[in-house]
Amino acid sequence: MCPAADGDGATVATRDWSEQICYQVFVRSFRDGNGDGVGDFPGLIEGLDYLQALGVTSLWLNPIFPSPTHHNYFPGDFFETDPEYGSRAEFAALCRAVHDRGMKILLDSETQYLPAAHEWFQAALADRNSPLRRRFLFREDDPDDWLHLCLHMPVDGRVVEVGLRELPILNLHDPDVAEFQRRFYRFWLDPLGDGDRRGGVDGYRLDHVMDDLDGYGVLTGLLRDFWRPLIDHVRRVDPEAFFLAEQADWQDEGRALLTEAGIDGVFAIPLMFALRSLDRGRIEAAIRRARAATATGRSPFLILENHDVTRFATAVGERPGAERIGAALNLTLPGIPTLYYGQELGMTGRIGEPDHDVHIPAREAFRWRRDIDAPGMAVWYRDHRFWQRTGITRPDGRTLEDQRGDPASLWHWYRRLIALRRASPALCHGDCTLLESGHPDVLAFRRRYRDEAVTVVAHLGGTAARLPRHSPANPAGDPLVGEAGGGHELEPWAVRIVLEPGSGAARTATA
């Protein structure tokens, strides 16, 4: 494992996650433990050995609350679990199983809205004099209208505005709402209230974080006046509680969330889109922006895909070389590598217009086996009207059953890269210098930490490339992964990860 120390040899803060390999789990789709076709907590416990063998060290779970939606956001009860997933006691058992393996767990949450059917809102709607009315934001010029969730989603190169009137905004400046929020974020640290913190989460992934919620100009200054006090409150209960936030503006690097709200981590979303483009110039620009935005010493969470976007394998045309390039960059660039479940198998799926249902192709069952009726398969959507859009029945080799026994598979490539990442101080903690490769399709950078330097060279094109003889992207050294260093010719989609001469202790090549 990478040494947990800063540049002066001092121990880093307990909330430093630079050594983590994070894995996002869409619980409904991961693993079915009771045979009803729905992913659940017992199934996830069954899958922990697999995740640990892959090299995963921390989990981010999408919401687990009872909700009318398949994704479990916008629940009516924030203090219970979806019964299809299991009970609170079963969730606590999952948390204990995670912690027994030395792993961590984050819980996804979006607590800025309540569904219109919630008793608070119905009471406020029925009586304009109700004290509950101040917990929401009704328009002064129309007391029967209210501010509601308004998403701005990128679709096919344009931004589409999606207003959801059925999700009224909570007045986050109201004292009762603030206390509700504090209670929620305390609760899941110890959901059984028995004092056994092993049975609770290590922190939260915050969805849709904004300083001016949904751009209405009403709930403003939220980073300083809402999120910072809330996070400080939770850390008085647990100083190690970790907060990862999704910036609502996907074009933003999220620096303000780190500096003003005291959040520990944000997503490198612009870098994600750059990586999916396989364009060297765009990727280099995004790396520079991400580095500048996180100059506070924190690291961004690196992603190739998540539950809201088309799968990476689909985005790059299911080209095996491109998928391997994506994996290599996901695990060698500065930041905290984060995998979306099934990414390591090259699972496919394309989302459509911004509608909750058409996200299902990017949220299909984890492909444990070829047979969709095999034990553990969480094909909960098989009777859904969007079933015909899914690709899980294709004999395409993108299953764990197919790949586990094939040393040349994408799954084994991810395992080798994860092992390398966890063993390399330079890849965990090092700075990043972009290198001039001398070829427009070849991305190269050097990671350096103390006495170790690792150079990564990735050929983003489908035709062979020749590097200049004295290119800094053509170092001699121990080839840890990919083609041997020192040669001038790069095969299409080639990756070189080279431990430079004189760097640290000698290590055996992993590929």
Side-chain angles (χ1 to χ4, degrees), residues 212-230:
D212 175 3
L213 189 56
D214 291 320
Y216 287 112
V218 176
L219 281 177
T220 59
L222 291 178
L223 298 182
R224 182 193 66 238
D225 298 333
F226 172 75
W227 287 113
R228 186 70 187 236
L230 175 61

Side-chain angles (χ1 to χ4, degrees), residues 84-117:
E84 289 190 303
Y85 295 168
S87 66
R88 271 193 288 129
E90 288 174 305
F91 178 72
L94 166 63
C95 292
R96 285 193 294 271
V98 167
H99 292 136
D100 286 347
R101 288 165 171 78
M103 301 166 73
K104 298 179 183 293
I105 185 168
L106 298 178
L107 180 58
D108 205 330
S109 62
E110 185 167 33
T111 55
Q112 302 95 301
Y113 312 90
L114 281 183

Side-chain angles (χ1 to χ4, degrees), residues 422-498:
R422 294 183 64 186
S424 170
L427 295 180
C428 283
H429 302 289
D431 58 17
C432 180
T433 302
L434 292 169
L435 304 176
E436 177 49 59
S437 68
H439 193 283
D441 291 331
V442 177
L443 172 71
F445 54 90
R446 178 177 293 116
R447 304 289 312 278
R448 187 185 297 276
Y449 182 75
R450 294 183 176 173
D451 61 347
E452 180 178 276
V454 174
T455 295
V456 179
V457 182
H459 179 13
L460 307 173
T463 60
R466 183 173 181 82
L467 300 182
R469 182 173 298 276
H470 300 295
S471 167
N474 190 32
D478 180 15
L480 298 172
V481 169
E483 292 188 355
H488 305 301
E489 297 289 341
L490 281 178
E491 294 297 318
W493 307 113
V495 175
R496 289 178 183 169
I497 303 177
V498 178

